[in-house]
Amino acid sequence: MNYHNITKDDMLNGDGLRVVLWVAGCNHQCEDCQNPITWDITGGLPFDEAAERELFEILKKPHISGITFSGGDPLHPFNRSEVFRLMRKCKDLYPKKTIWCYTGFRWEEFRKFKEMQYIDVLVDGRFVKSLFDEKLRWVGSSNQRIIDVQKTLEKGEVVLHFDNDKM
């Protein structure tokens, strides 16, 4: 897996102060994507042991609420096994920290993956330029959902973490 950046103190990609891992690779290629540089699966840098150490050094700080996986698309087929491994490690080391994941895929495509149990919030759906709304929180277009994965798994139907219609 390749990555483009590790953001250390982010408040725009989930609840609280977060670390964000921006992975490389996205097949969705949404019109007016905010990160087209991350589309190329071979772009960026290899996610090596040094990058992993850096990520977990930041994550262990008590003021960091959790980690957000973004990109690119963390659930791109090429990224899945490494992203799922990192999620599992995050939950093992820091069970009280939250894991957010942004993907252009829909929840319905991934709900059967056992690794979904590691995610607290999944932001799903492609960015759709015609549905762009700058007033939305944590998403760019109104078709995207902010899903509380744990409640969704428990209930068996999609439960939103945050409903942008109620802002």
Side-chain angles (χ1 to χ4, degrees), residues 85-149:
R85 183 189 70 78
L86 292 170
M87 288 177 177
R88 184 173 43 256
K89 184 174 179 177
C90 288
K91 281 299 181 188
D92 288 346
L93 292 174
Y94 309 108
K96 298 207 184 288
K97 304 230 180 198
T98 59
I99 296 176
W100 282 55
C101 183
Y102 280 78
T103 182
F105 295 103
R106 299 296 282 182
W107 163 256
E108 290 76 11
E109 296 173 72
F110 281 90
R111 67 177 176 229
K112 302 277 189 224
F113 280 62
K114 67 180 168 94
E115 292 88 356
M116 292 293 107
Q117 68 181 313
Y118 303 119
I119 302 173
D120 295 289
V121 178
L122 181 75
V123 180
D124 80 339
R126 298 172 49 124
F127 170 74
V128 178
K129 181 179 176 180
S130 63
L131 300 175
F132 169 74
D133 184 342
E134 65 185 29
K135 294 179 182 149
L136 296 174
R137 187 174 184 190
W138 296 319
V139 297
S141 58
S142 60
N143 63 298
Q144 295 172 302
R145 299 177 294 182
I146 305 164
I147 299 171
D148 182 320
V149 173

